[in-house]
Amino acid sequence: MARATTRLAALPPNRCRDCPLRVLPNFVDLAPEAVAGLQDARVSVRHLGAGATLYAEGDASSEVSTLFDGWAFRYKTTEDGRRQILDFAVPGSFFGLAEDADGNWNHAVEALTPVSMCILSREKVSLLIRTDPAIAGFMAGIGRSEQAILYEHLCNIGQRSAVDAVAHLLLELRFRWCAHRPDPGDTIHLPLGQAHIADALGLSHVHANRVLMQLKRQGLISFSHQRLSIPDIAAASERYGYGPQYIVPRPLL
Amino acid sequence: MARATTRLAALPPNRCRDCPLRVLPNFVDLAPEAVAGLQDARVSVRHLGAGATLYAEGDASSEVSTLFDGWAFRYKTTEDGRRQILDFAVPGSFFGLAEDADGNWNHAVEALTPVSMCILSREKVSLLIRTDPAIAGFMAGIGRSEQAILYEHLCNIGQRSAVDAVAHLLLELRFRWCAHRPDPGDTIHLPLGQAHIADALGLSHVHANRVLMQLKRQGLISFSHQRLSIPDIAAASERYGYGPQYIVPRPLL
DNA sequence: CGGCCTGTTGAGCCGATTCAACAGCCGTGG
DNA sequence: CCACGGCTGTTGAATCGGCTCAACAGGCCG
């Protein structure tokens, strides 16, 4: 299923302490000693093409990892084969707090672009959690920041109209993506298809298309050919009732 | 809004190490030294009636707490005044990993029955997280177990039909409630109204009613007058595609 | 007794779905 | 080189699940 890598994802440095993500403002940073512990737990770097499965539902859970570059998404498949996208992952996202009762992955992760990941030994990270309060506290903080986003997704799917929900999702993704780079202006590259938006919000892909057309007609948000354009973010947030307060600075493992 | 307390919730013991929850099988337990640290962070016990607001959205976040007895639920209110129930809380549930960008509560919590809570100093717990890996690891574990439940709720709302979603929710609540007591037989007391089910699943309360009637007619699950009856859990799980693997033993703070 | 809250039922409507056809793009293979 | 199939996106038509509005029943409390 993994297509050939057309564009290479950036490679992380060999030493965690040189990680360029670590200095970005939306990440809470880790004490140098804790970074050294992490470095020790680090196993390898992995590079996968767009469409690749990073983790499958039910996989044995022998490693954890951090997304260094690229986009991915988490999803679950229901009994009848439908797909619910749970969240989108951006650089800095952590994969590993997701074991079910049998110790396996409770959801799957798939790459949207070529990605590079820093792989860590689950065993060593578990040990760090038990011995290094900085690391353990980070895990808690990661859980907390992801939870806030999940809460918002629940509101999106449960309570909002399809138009508002799509607008919220696109605004959220813009905020989260731009949190770790200088303001890129009106338009960003957002490597999703309409089917991803549909599956994230519980809509049919046909209806997701109609909603996107409607948003474009309303003039505040347009998304096509993987280009998300929001010329006036304040106006769009106002119009669709969006507020980004729930996005908190995340610990970067 | 808080009605008078008609039935008293049970009171926790003065010493955390004597906590009767701590010995129940679905809780991961804490080392005695860590329990001693918790004891030190403990401020008081609070007792509230059914309908009381434990925490309001936007409240300053100066304490954290554990639900010792009773039922409660977490919710968010959307811009247009609708309510999304995020999760239900049972004894052992933790309140406190929910700060928004301003450090305030990002959701509200309301009691369904009389409740008693063990209140802890946020400051002291934060310190414990930074110094005691056992406590910090517990926080991470709490986040992880709650996240698994949220994932399932997303699937419920996003992908499943109303009938399946209600069935899943009721089965989940039965599993979670019965995880910490001896098997109570076919019928349990579930202190929800139909409006709670509706708001948890993004349904109108009229439709929630019709779905409950339909479930009763199908003969496997019935819920009325706060009595949930599932005579044959295996058959109901099979019929509605439910599996409880995502419910993992939770750390009890 | 009357008010209020929860639950129940009917009627009509609307948002979203399904099914279907088609257009454009891209990569593959003849 | 063009022909083809596959994938994503677009649009129309018909259908349906769930919503809104509305009326009413029962229980509980003042």
Side-chain angles (χ1 to χ4, degrees), chain A residues 66-150:
Chain A
T66 294
L67 184 60
F68 175 77
D69 189 46
W71 283 85
F73 65 95
R74 306 174 194 269
Y75 67 97
K76 284 189 97 155
T77 306
T78 55
E79 315 75 47
D80 56 352
R82 296 166 64 97
R83 175 177 77 171
Q84 174 67 46
I85 293 184
L86 305 166
D87 192 19
F88 294 92
V90 295
S93 286
F94 176 79
F95 305 123
L97 284 175
E99 298 158 282
D100 69 10
D102 307 321
N104 299 323
W105 277 79
N106 66 12
H107 67 272
V109 187
E110 184 176 319
L112 286 163
T113 62
V115 295
S116 54
M117 313 150 64
C118 298
I119 312 293
L120 307 168
S121 151
R122 171 174 291 275
E123 196 186 350
K124 286 191 178 173
V125 170
S126 295
L127 183 63
L128 283 175
I129 289 177
R130 272 174 281 130
T131 55
D132 185 336
I135 302 281
F138 258 42
M139 287 291 169
I142 288 170
R144 170 175 138 265
S145 68
E146 289 185 359
Q147 191 161 306
I149 291 171
L150 290 177

Side-chain angles (χ1 to χ4, degrees), chain A residues 57 72-78 82-89 107-110 112 149-150 153-154 156-157 169 172-173 176 191-203, chain B residues 150-156 158-159:
Chain A
E57 217 168 327
F73 65 95
R74 306 174 194 269
Y75 67 97
K76 284 189 97 155
T77 306
T78 55
R82 296 166 64 97
R83 175 177 77 171
Q84 174 67 46
I85 293 184
L86 305 166
D87 192 19
F88 294 92
H107 67 272
V109 187
E110 184 176 319
L112 286 163
I149 291 171
L150 290 177
H153 288 182
L154 275 171
N156 251 355
I157 306 186
L169 177 61
E172 171 182 316
L173 291 174
R176 289 175 62 194
L192 312 179
Q194 297 183 346
H196 296 110
I197 293 174
D199 285 351
L201 298 173
L203 304 173
Chain B
L150 290 177
Y151 282 166
E152 201 59 26
H153 288 183
L154 275 171
C155 292
N156 252 355
Q159 303 299 336

